[in-house]
Amino acid sequence: MITCERCGTQNLPGSRYCDECGAALWLAGRAADRANPQANGNEGSRNKEVSLTVARPANPPGSGMVPQHRAGAVAITGRNATLTIERGKSAGKQFPIGPEGSDIGRWDADGGVFPDVDLDTDDPEAKVSRRHARISCENGQYVIEDLGSTNGTFVNRGRRLKPSERHPVNDGDEIIVGKTFLRFHLAK
């Protein structure tokens, strides 16, 4: 069993996300050791239990780092960002977003959809598409793009984003996916 470090729930071996709180579960240790089992003497141990842990942002909130602003845009200097649910029973739930970006959607094991920001348990009306949107970093600026969702993606209550249209997001921006209200923050 895999224990979630965020909420303590026991999850089945091989789980990518916690069944209770939705936290991402990642392999602990060095990726190189897992990729090449012969290198660490585990050549015949495919069924060996692997330790797992919850991914955490590199710079926790309150660490004193201040975003650098240039003409209204936020320059990304290796810090992480978060999306926080603003309304409903899951208000305050946070999802880490790294400089490499994250997919937003709803988990679907049968369809092979495992988004980084999994809103499955936080979207009771199923208004968030399985593959809804993606946040990524381009040229030092975080951007969001709609992936052809059914119910749309909106930034600061502006017009609905067209599929594949990249829209810049800044610290404090409101992002609406389906009927889920999120707040984008750079880790400080």
Side-chain angles (χ1 to χ4, degrees):
M1 295 300 276
I2 303 164
T3 303
C4 175
E5 289 184 2
R6 182 187 287 172
C7 71
T9 299
Q10 294 290 320
N11 295 278
L12 294 173
S15 297
R16 292 189 55 184
Y17 298 94
C18 176
D19 292 334
E20 181 64 27
C21 71
L25 303 170
W26 302 102
L27 291 172
R30 297 181 324 171
D33 290 349
R34 289 188 308 276
N36 185 5
Q38 288 81 11
N40 61 9
N42 293 332
E43 51 268 2
S45 60
R46 284 191 182 240
N47 295 328
K48 191 172 184 178
E49 192 169 318
V50 179
S51 341
L52 297 175
T53 187
V54 174
R56 302 204 185 275
N59 298 316
S63 66
M65 295 184 76
V66 179
Q68 298 174 2
H69 295 276
R70 277 186 266 131
V74 178
I76 308 304
T77 56
R79 295 181 316 254
N80 290 336
T82 58
L83 281 177
T84 305
I85 296 178
E86 292 272 300
R87 298 180 181 180
K89 67 176 182 126
S90 299
K93 184 175 180 180
Q94 293 186 344
F95 299 93
I97 309 294
E100 70 285 350
S102 295
D103 291 329
I104 302 168
R106 290 186 302 117
W107 181 79
D108 177 19
D110 293 336
V113 180
F114 304 100
D116 305 298
V117 178
D118 178 14
L119 298 173
D120 192 47
T121 58
D122 311 303
D123 180 35
E125 296 179 44
K127 298 296 182 181
V128 174
S129 297
R130 297 289 181 193
R131 290 184 177 98
H132 196 102
R134 173 153 181 78
I135 291 184
S136 57
C137 187
E138 293 180 357
N139 300 320
Q141 168 72 52
Y142 276 102
V143 295
I144 188 166
E145 70 176 294
D146 187 274
L147 299 176
S149 68
T150 301
N151 294 304
T153 303
F154 305 85
V155 178
N156 295 326
R157 302 192 190 210
R159 66 170 178 75
R160 180 179 178 159
L161 298 182
K162 295 176 184 166
S164 301
E165 173 187 358
R166 289 180 170 86
H167 188 281
V169 287
N170 297 302
D171 188 39
D173 280 355
E174 178 186 63
I175 298 171
I176 303 171
V177 290
K179 285 189 174 180
T180 303
F181 290 73
L182 304 164
R183 185 72 58 183
F184 177 82
H185 286 291
L186 288 173
K188 296 178 182 175

